[in-house]
Amino acid sequence: MANILSFFVWILILKTCYSLWFPEENGIVINNSSCSLSAVPKYLPSHTQILDLSQNNITEIHIQDFASLHWLKSLNLSSNKISNLSSDFFRSNQELECLDLSKNELSSIECHFLHNVTSLKYLDISYNNFLSLTLGKAFSFLKDLEYLGLGSRKAIKLQKNDLKEISGKQLQEISIGLKTLSEYDPGSLQVLRTTKLHIVLPSTNKADLLERVMDDAFNTSDTLKLSNIECYQECSHYINSFKILGKFSRVSKLLLQNLALDWKDLISISKPIWTSTVKSLSFFNVTLYKMINSPFQCSETTLKALTIRQLKITLFYFSSTIIYNFFATLMIENLTISNSELLFMTCPIKGNNYKFMDFSDNSLSSDFLFQDCQSLNLLETLILQQNKLDRLFKVSTMTRSMKSLKNLDVSQNQLTLDENRDCLWTNSLIKLNLSSNRLTDLVFTCLPSSLAILDLQKNDIYSVPKELNNLDMLKELYLGANKLVNLPDCSNFRNLQILFVEANSFHEPSSSFLQSCQRLTVLNAASNPFICTCHLRDFSRMKENSHIEMIGWPESYQCAYPDNLKGTLLKHFHLSEVTCSTTLILVIVLGNMIVLIIVIGLMCHFLDLPWYLRMTWQWAQMKRRAMKTDSHQVAEKLVYHAFVSYSQHDSCWVKEQLLPNLEERGSPLRICLHERHFIPGKGIIENIINCIEKSYKSIFVLSPNFIQSDWCHYELYFAQHQVLSDRSDNLMLIVLESIPQYLIPSKYYKLKSLMAKKTYIEWPKDKNKQRLFWANLQAAIGIKLTAPTEETFV
Ligand SMILES: *[C@@H]1O[C@H](CO)[C@@H](O)[C@H](O)[C@H]1NC(C)=O
Ligand SMILES: *[C@@H]1O[C@H](CO)[C@@H](O)[C@H](O)[C@H]1NC(C)=O
Ligand SMILES: *[C@@H]1O[C@H](CO)[C@@H](O)[C@H](O)[C@H]1NC(C)=O
């Protein structure tokens, strides 16, 4: 046992150490970028996998610098001053997949060291001091290569066989910096096989050089990116070279990046593209420094999509209508203009083909955009993310005539809805993204009933109102990062399947939730301040008791209160059924009490329990007294166990019940009766006193008859007197028939007080009880008598 335990302890220790040595699952990442290093740091952890030494002043590296890093996967040496890498480098770095040597001072592009790292997927050697781009034999061994970056800062020529070594390889992307190109042999680029080709165009005004490069570029890959089109003075060489782009090129996606030109040149450059093989045209980072209007007709175009990102206009005054009218007349399907400070957009001409429009990250406002625009009836997707839209009502009226609009994204604006109003949405809308706005609970009064997906994250919603428009089509509802205090009720969206309510403010989500959300399959309620009390039990068990997938469970569901449970996972929070159900406690307690009461009641009713209890108590008392009396040796002059006083009317009972039971059963007792034992010649009173004195107890048989009899009263008086003078407790009252208090004359006050103290035993009419009665009586008077009997008197 101890061995097994210590074994586990060892494993635990080993595991802990291991995780200290290797803190990240993906290995150690060391970022020494921009640290002004002049050499590779010594003693790098041998398990380093990702090492960034870019943007330093490293001039020389040594073979032993990376010799111990057998697990190195990625090495970035970009922007240093390395001028030489011998063929022995990276011998121990067989795992290397990514190597960035761009922007250094390497002069030989032979790169013999590549023999050692044939698993490279990513290699960038652009912007070095190569004098030619004739790739060495080593490149042909890079069997897994996906990306290659080439180029030089020095004036270079690109010759026919320069790229021969990689000509057989299908790559994903090749980027070639030809800014300093001075000569180009036609066909040099066409040997490449790559999905994406990026060419940084020569900064030259030699039109023929540019044309030769572009001609090849257009026929090499499907996706072509061309950077560096700057024409501050003259642009005709670019305009002419684009004219080559005909109907037979290979390019279907064309990206133009880093342009600086005027509007007229931009239109001229793009004109041939409009009727080429290009389906998708994108402009990234365009600086317009002049706005000269240029008439543009493009009724026939093969282009489907136009994207413009980062359009800057450096003019103070410019006629923006030129730009707006241009887009309004385009016959394309997709238009994206983002991050371009767009203030407005005109309604496109009738018969346009727009299906998709993305104007994210601009300065559009809701009051003017596409209000009363009747021509966007093919539009399916409109993205207005991150603009200056502020009135939701206006957004709804904008969509009214967009008969095909399915998807509207107006997230990250400043939308509000200041009153309860019926908004005028198009009834085709399926997905609406209203996240990151300033909407309150009122938003639910302004939603189209056709919605299937609604995103209301990051707003100011406190609750989902119960009475709201019918949203029966809704399948996905995102309400994360609001101020909800409870889970919404699904009665208004009965088909809801996905609900996100993470990072809200609810403490004790109501348990009725699940009943109303029958179709739910995914729930994210993570990161709420849960109060772990009985109310939360149903919720904390939801994961076990339903088939709902809970996002973030269990780690993001924690108790926030009470303090002793803070941080406890809901998964580990358990309270028993009994602790939590007040009704259950009440039922148990009340149930037990009712059963007890019923049992007692039944016993009282059928068995006369109180009577038995009282009799048993008296019997016990009498036994105790009798024993005490025994031990004290009762006076020897006693002849009888008891003297019985009764009314003549009760003599039947005395003779038929009392005498047989006391004198004949068990140990026979001696009973003195005045009619049996009266000594003739003596007065009645003398006889009574004699009898009382010689008896251990005086038994009075009480009944209404007894009260009537004066003799009996005398007898009682004497017996009582005896109580006072001699023994303390020789008086016994048997109530044969109950005597109402008012029947007892006031002169019998002694009797009254005795009766009031209830120091009597009742004669039970029930036969079963009579045996206990006799046993009781026998116990009370059954002592041992030593004196002889006075039978002689009879
Ligand atoms: C290398 O570092 C430079 C500068 O920090 C960065 O621009 C480049 O993307 C990095 N290369 C890779 C392959 O991550
Ligand atoms: C136009 O946009 C839609 C929706 O984003 C997209 O699926 C389609 O591929 C785009 N078309 C082109 C030619 O880029
Ligand atoms: C809504 O837009 C935000 C960005 O603003 C995005 O993160 C979120 O995924 C979008 N919601 C849906 C449901 O697509």
Side-chain angles (χ1 to χ4, degrees), residues 284-338:
F284 294 161
N285 187 17
V286 185
T287 308
L288 287 183
Y289 60 88
K290 247 195 269 173
M291 292 301 280
I292 301 170
N293 201 358
S294 164
F296 179 77
Q297 270 300 328
C298 76
S299 47
E300 276 185 40
T301 174
T302 47
L303 200 69
K304 295 271 183 279
L306 175 64
T307 300
I308 298 175
R309 293 188 205 280
Q310 290 184 39
L311 175 72
K312 281 182 298 241
I313 298 169
T314 54
L315 295 168
F316 198 65
Y317 291 111
F318 73 97
S319 167
S320 51
T321 46
I322 297 175
I323 297 183
Y324 301 142
N325 290 340
F326 170 76
F327 295 117
T329 55
L330 284 184
M331 286 302 197
I332 55 171
E333 291 177 4
N334 293 14
L335 175 63
T336 300
I337 305 173
S338 73

Side-chain angles (χ1 to χ4, degrees), residues 250-498:
R250 289 189 56 179
V251 187
S252 73
K253 270 191 195 158
L254 181 61
L255 292 84
L256 304 179
Q257 181 177 275
N258 304 342
L259 302 95
L261 67 191
D262 80 27
W263 178 253
K264 191 163 131 291
D265 293 336
L266 185 73
I267 296 297
S268 304
I269 281 181
S270 43
K271 220 171 227 169
I273 304 173
W274 247 253
T275 51
S276 70
T277 51
V278 175
K279 297 270 179 294
S280 160
L281 172 64
S282 307
F283 294 95
F284 294 161
N285 187 17
V286 185
T287 308
L288 287 183
Y289 60 88
K290 247 195 269 173
M291 292 301 280
I292 301 170
N293 201 358
S294 164
F296 179 77
Q297 270 300 328
C298 76
S299 47
E300 276 185 40
T301 174
T302 47
L303 200 69
K304 295 271 183 279
L306 175 64
T307 300
I308 298 175
R309 293 188 205 280
Q310 290 184 39
L311 175 72
K312 281 182 298 241
I313 298 169
T314 54
L315 295 168
F316 198 65
Y317 291 111
F318 73 97
S319 167
S320 51
T321 46
I322 297 175
I323 297 183
Y324 301 142
N325 290 340
F326 170 76
F327 295 117
T329 55
L330 284 184
M331 286 302 197
I332 55 171
E333 291 177 4
N334 293 14
L335 175 63
T336 300
I337 305 173
S338 73
N339 194 1
S340 300
E341 296 184 11
L342 207 62
L343 291 168
F344 183 68
M345 191 42 79
T346 29
C347 180
I349 55 162
K350 282 222 157 56
N352 69 77
N353 296 328
Y354 281 125
K355 285 187 177 162
F356 173 97
M357 284 181 157
D358 178 353
F359 300 131
S360 50
D361 198 1
N362 284 297
S363 303
L364 298 169
S365 80
S366 49
D367 285 355
F368 308 108
L369 186 70
F370 296 148
Q371 296 294 332
D372 303 316
C373 177
Q374 307 288 332
S375 62
L376 284 169
N377 37 27
L378 297 178
L379 193 66
E380 291 174 1
T381 302
L382 178 56
I383 299 174
L384 298 170
Q385 206 181 85
Q386 226 180 319
N387 272 283
K388 298 211 159 65
L389 310 180
D390 55 359
R391 292 165 67 192
L392 186 60
F393 179 73
K394 279 287 180 186
V395 171
S396 81
T397 57
M398 171 191 78
T399 69
R400 203 163 28 153
S401 47
M402 298 176 177
K403 300 281 179 254
S404 310
L405 191 69
K406 294 196 179 84
N407 178 7
L408 176 63
D409 183 347
V410 284
S411 61
Q412 301 182 59
N413 279 284
Q414 291 134 32
L415 289 172
T416 55
L417 183 72
D418 33 64
E419 60 205 278
N420 220 335
R421 60 194 304 176
D422 292 330
C423 296
L424 303 161
W425 295 96
T426 172
N427 50 25
S428 56
L429 207 58
I430 290 173
K431 180 173 174 183
L432 177 57
N433 196 337
L434 292 170
S435 68
S436 303
N437 278 292
R438 299 190 192 147
L439 297 163
T440 61
D441 302 5
L442 274 180
V443 69
F444 289 98
T445 63
C446 170
L447 290 174
S449 58
S450 53
L451 282 186
I453 303 171
L454 173 60
D455 193 336
L456 278 167
Q457 291 181 74
K458 300 185 188 158
N459 277 286
D460 289 326
I461 299 169
Y462 284 82
S463 71
V464 179
K466 282 231 154 56
E467 57 295 326
L468 50 86
N469 299 354
N470 176 16
L471 287 175
D472 271 353
M473 313 287 268
L474 200 64
K475 294 211 167 89
E476 300 178 24
L477 177 57
Y478 300 91
L479 282 167
N482 276 286
K483 287 157 185 158
L484 292 178
V485 292
N486 209 338
L487 281 168
D489 192 311
C490 293
S491 48
N492 291 303
F493 6 85
R494 270 166 285 163
N495 290 311
L496 199 68
Q497 291 170 2
I498 299 177

Side-chain angles (χ1 to χ4, degrees), residues 762-782:
E762 274 171 284
W763 166 246
K765 298 272 184 290
D766 183 349
K767 274 223 154 62
N768 292 321
K769 293 179 183 173
Q770 290 173 0
R771 284 175 61 187
L772 184 58
F773 173 86
W774 294 124
N776 227 333
L777 202 57
Q778 276 175 341
I781 59 180

Side-chain angles (χ1 to χ4, degrees), residues 148-281:
L148 178 62
L150 290 173
S152 176
R153 290 192 193 108
K154 301 277 185 201
I156 43 160
K157 304 172 181 172
L158 194 58
Q159 289 169 323
K160 194 98 190 187
N161 289 328
D162 280 354
L163 306 175
K164 193 186 70 193
E165 297 300 342
I166 54 164
S167 64
K169 288 186 203 307
Q170 176 64 47
L171 271 67
Q172 280 173 17
E173 184 172 355
I174 298 179
S175 174
I176 308 184
L178 297 178
K179 215 169 180 172
T180 52
L181 192 73
S182 60
E183 267 181 52
Y184 180 79
D185 272 0
S188 305
L189 284 173
Q190 276 199 45
V191 302
L192 297 176
R193 292 215 265 140
T194 176
T195 318
K196 248 172 145 177
L197 177 64
H198 176 202
I199 295 177
V200 182
L201 293 172
S203 299
T204 175
N205 37 25
K206 283 195 224 162
D208 57 334
L209 177 65
L210 203 60
E211 271 174 40
R212 269 180 275 148
V213 172
M214 300 267 256
D215 196 10
D216 276 3
F218 291 144
N219 289 296
T220 303
S221 66
D222 177 63
T223 302
L224 176 64
K225 181 151 104 180
L226 298 172
S227 310
N228 189 32
I229 299 173
E230 292 179 348
C231 28
Y232 287 102
Q233 279 108 39
E234 182 50 54
C235 216
S236 59
H237 54 298
Y238 287 112
I239 297 171
N240 288 334
S241 53
F242 272 97
K243 282 183 183 155
I244 305 164
L245 186 63
K247 290 198 163 70
F248 304 104
S249 75
R250 289 189 56 179
V251 187
S252 73
K253 270 191 195 158
L254 181 61
L255 292 84
L256 304 179
Q257 181 177 275
N258 304 342
L259 302 95
L261 67 191
D262 80 27
W263 178 253
K264 191 163 131 291
D265 293 336
L266 185 73
I267 296 297
S268 304
I269 281 181
S270 43
K271 220 171 227 169
I273 304 173
W274 247 253
T275 51
S276 70
T277 51
V278 175
K279 297 270 179 294
S280 160
L281 172 64

Side-chain angles (χ1 to χ4, degrees), residues 9-39:
V9 168
W10 260 111
I11 287 198
L12 208 76
I13 292 173
L14 280 177
K15 270 189 90 162
T16 322
C17 295
Y18 192 86
S19 59
L20 284 176
W21 287 326
F22 314 121
E24 277 185 52
E25 214 169 309
N26 297 334
I28 297 178
V29 177
I30 299 215
N31 187 356
N32 278 334
S33 180
S34 312
C35 291
S36 310
L37 300 172
S38 55

Side-chain angles (χ1 to χ4, degrees), residues 52-161:
D52 190 348
L53 295 168
S54 63
Q55 303 188 45
N56 284 296
N57 295 320
I58 302 171
T59 50
E60 229 182 312
I61 57 174
H62 304 99
I63 290 172
Q64 66 272 21
D65 284 345
F66 307 115
S68 62
L69 310 182
H70 301 291
W71 305 102
L72 196 63
K73 275 209 151 92
S74 169
L75 176 61
N76 196 343
L77 287 166
S78 172
S79 304
N80 277 286
K81 297 197 171 94
I82 302 163
S83 56
N84 189 28
L85 280 173
S86 83
S87 58
D88 297 327
F89 273 99
F90 310 123
R91 276 248 161 101
S92 353
N93 312 115
Q94 300 286 321
E95 302 283 319
L96 202 62
E97 288 180 354
C98 171
L99 179 60
D100 193 340
L101 287 167
S102 61
K103 298 178 190 160
N104 275 284
E105 290 171 6
L106 297 172
S107 54
S108 164
I109 199 166
E110 285 287 313
C111 295
H112 293 298
F113 61 86
L114 291 176
H115 282 291
N116 304 327
V117 282
T118 53
S119 310
L120 275 185
K121 290 183 176 162
Y122 182 105
L123 175 63
D124 195 347
I125 49 169
S126 58
Y127 300 100
N128 275 282
N129 296 341
F130 305 131
L131 297 170
S132 87
L133 289 180
T134 315
L135 299 180
K137 185 96 185 110
F139 284 88
S140 68
F141 294 99
L142 302 176
K143 54 188 188 329
D144 299 327
L145 199 64
E146 292 171 1
Y147 175 92
L148 178 62
L150 290 173
S152 176
R153 290 192 193 108
K154 301 277 185 201
I156 43 160
K157 304 172 181 172
L158 194 58
Q159 289 169 323
K160 194 98 190 187
N161 289 328

